[in-house]
Amino acid sequence: MPQARCQSPAAEPLHPARSRRVCHGLLACLLPWLMLGCGGQQATAATPAKSTAQTPLHRGPVTDYVPAAGLRWLLVGSPRALYASPELAKALTPLLPATRLDAFKSSSGVDLRTLESGCIAGFDLGTLYLAQVTSEGSDLERAFRARLVTEPREHTRSSELFRITGLVGNTPESFIGLAGHLAGVAVGDITLARVVEGFASQQLRRSKPALAGAALSTLPERLHRYPMRFYAPGPLDAQWQQGAGGLLEAALAVGLGAEPRGPMLHLEGVVSGDFGASEGETEQRVSEVWERLRLSELGRLLGLAEVTRPPSIKSSAKELSFELELPLERAALGLHAAVSASMPELFGQPQPAARPSP
């Protein structure tokens, strides 16, 4: 599909509707653990061959099980590390009160305050949620089975690796478990669970996981140290490009890392691509985009207008990066004001429909 050309940074203001869309995108970037979970084809994979006793199961980080093919965006986080910050835990209380976190634990089997690692990956036809587990993951499995409105279909590869598939409401979902290491749910496109199974059984040796794919592998490894990360492979759609004043037209990939540092939230963003223009010109364009964002509806909501120190910007022919610190409590209050109406939808699990009579 042809990409829309975007205006120069000064040609188009940030409209309220776009600011709201960007705000919801920022929520996804800053709170990847909410649901624990550019462009290309839908992820596909051949049916994994039966594993053998000679092929050990792969037990790596959660991103090792996310396919690069068809990936639209990826959120990775360590909620446990984030909640270890007293300042962040306090700032998030209006947005994520204990009662809401307890309800989410009850419905999903996941306690976001103690989850060591998890990710959400978005594809055209489905979403993949993965969590690192240290036990058998039975709580997550029981919660999944309780939401099914059809009898579960079970697919057992071994005593340690299995899938369960059924309907939650009208949506097909598939649970994937790797005992003592990984549990996840594929929503919409249940093929994603089979791909996870293929990576776990090491039967997809020719397929690349997300961070090793052609796009995201161009981002620097220093982003991996952040307890909260967002990735998007290029080419990015017109909305993204317009929101960044055209700077993302040549982007191969975008990455954003965030971590609390006392009362501040430290952000580092990196865009890989071919930026052709001189370093001074690129940095000037970034400064213009920042100033527009700072004074926009979204910027005022998040307290960006109060930030006295502008972002530190670096650019080269192949990479553009920035670092910025925001007042953590002010940013969290802004997010709460912007998305509080959407929180029940983000956290709420579908209510199981009555099971059909025999």
Side-chain angles (χ1 to χ4, degrees):
M1 181 177 294
Q3 296 285 344
R5 303 295 295 180
C6 50
Q7 305 289 331
S8 62
E12 187 177 358
L14 287 176
H15 297 298
R18 180 174 298 154
S19 294
R20 286 191 292 272
R21 291 196 299 268
V22 174
C23 190
H24 282 79
L26 183 60
L27 171 69
C29 299
L30 296 180
L31 302 176
W33 58 94
L34 286 181
M35 294 293 292
L36 267 142
C38 231
Q41 305 177 331
Q42 174 190 357
T44 57
T47 303
K50 294 288 186 181
S51 60
T52 66
Q54 291 74 33
T55 305
L57 296 175
H58 176 62
R59 297 174 181 270
V62 290
T63 52
D64 280 4
Y65 305 90
V66 178
L71 182 68
R72 302 285 292 179
W73 50 265
L74 173 64
L75 306 173
V76 187
S78 175
R80 180 178 177 180
L82 292 165
Y83 272 93
S85 165
E87 293 86 356
L88 179 61
K90 179 182 177 181
L92 289 178
T93 298
L95 190 63
L96 303 173
T99 52
R100 180 167 286 157
L101 292 170
D102 290 341
F104 184 72
K105 177 183 177 181
S106 176
S107 64
S108 68
V110 176
D111 188 342
L112 298 174
R113 293 156 291 197
T114 61
L115 181 63
E116 182 61 37
S117 179
C119 71
I120 314 171
F123 298 82
D124 284 335
L125 299 180
T127 307
L128 179 64
Y129 303 85
L130 295 175
Q132 181 180 330
V133 297
T134 55
S135 62
E136 295 298 315
S138 54
D139 289 345
L140 283 74
E141 181 186 342
R142 280 195 295 270
F144 177 81
R145 288 179 181 273
R147 298 199 307 273
L148 294 179
V149 300
T150 58
E151 290 300 318
R153 290 177 292 156
E154 306 197 19
H155 314 268
T156 302
R157 176 171 289 275
S158 71
S159 60
E160 296 182 293
L161 182 62
F162 62 95
R163 286 184 291 118
I164 304 170
T165 301
L167 289 179
V168 177
N170 294 320
T171 304
E173 296 192 13
S174 187
F175 180 91
I176 180 74
L178 176 55
H181 184 71
L182 185 78
V185 175
V187 178
D189 182 6
I190 60 176
T191 302
L192 295 169
R194 295 175 57 206
V195 175
V196 174
E197 180 182 340
F199 280 126
S201 60
Q202 303 198 63
Q203 301 301 300
L204 296 179
R205 298 181 186 275
R206 295 185 180 180
S207 298
K208 294 287 187 181
L211 297 185
L216 297 187
S217 64
T218 62
L219 295 172
E221 292 187 359
R222 67 178 183 271
L223 288 176
H224 297 179
R225 67 183 177 87
Y226 286 95
M228 184 162 47
R229 291 171 278 151
F230 168 78
Y231 299 97
L236 305 178
D237 63 28
Q239 179 180 323
W240 280 71
Q241 295 178 19
Q242 292 169 0
L247 285 168
L248 301 181
E249 283 187 304
L252 291 174
V254 173
L256 177 68
E259 67 178 352
R261 295 183 179 178
M264 306 298 288
L265 181 68
H266 182 84
L267 302 174
E268 180 178 0
V270 181
V271 182
S272 62
D274 184 1
F275 295 101
S278 65
E279 295 180 13
E281 179 183 343
T282 301
E283 292 175 12
Q284 176 62 31
R285 292 177 65 191
V286 175
S287 297
E288 292 172 355
V289 171
W290 160 252
E291 191 64 17
R292 291 172 57 212
L293 176 61
R294 191 175 73 87
L295 300 177
S296 69
E297 175 189 345
L298 173 61
R300 289 191 295 271
L301 191 64
L302 298 178
L304 302 187
E306 304 168 14
V307 175
T308 57
R309 180 179 298 179
S312 171
I313 303 168
K314 297 179 181 179
S315 66
S316 66
K318 298 296 182 182
E319 182 178 297
L320 169 64
S321 66
F322 72 88
E323 293 189 63
L324 173 67
E325 289 198 342
L326 304 177
L328 198 159
E329 186 172 1
R330 181 68 179 82
L333 287 173
L335 282 173
H336 178 253
V339 303
S340 58
S342 301
M343 294 303 290
E345 178 184 352
L346 289 172
F347 265 92
Q349 296 291 339
Q351 293 297 320
R355 293 180 181 272
S357 301

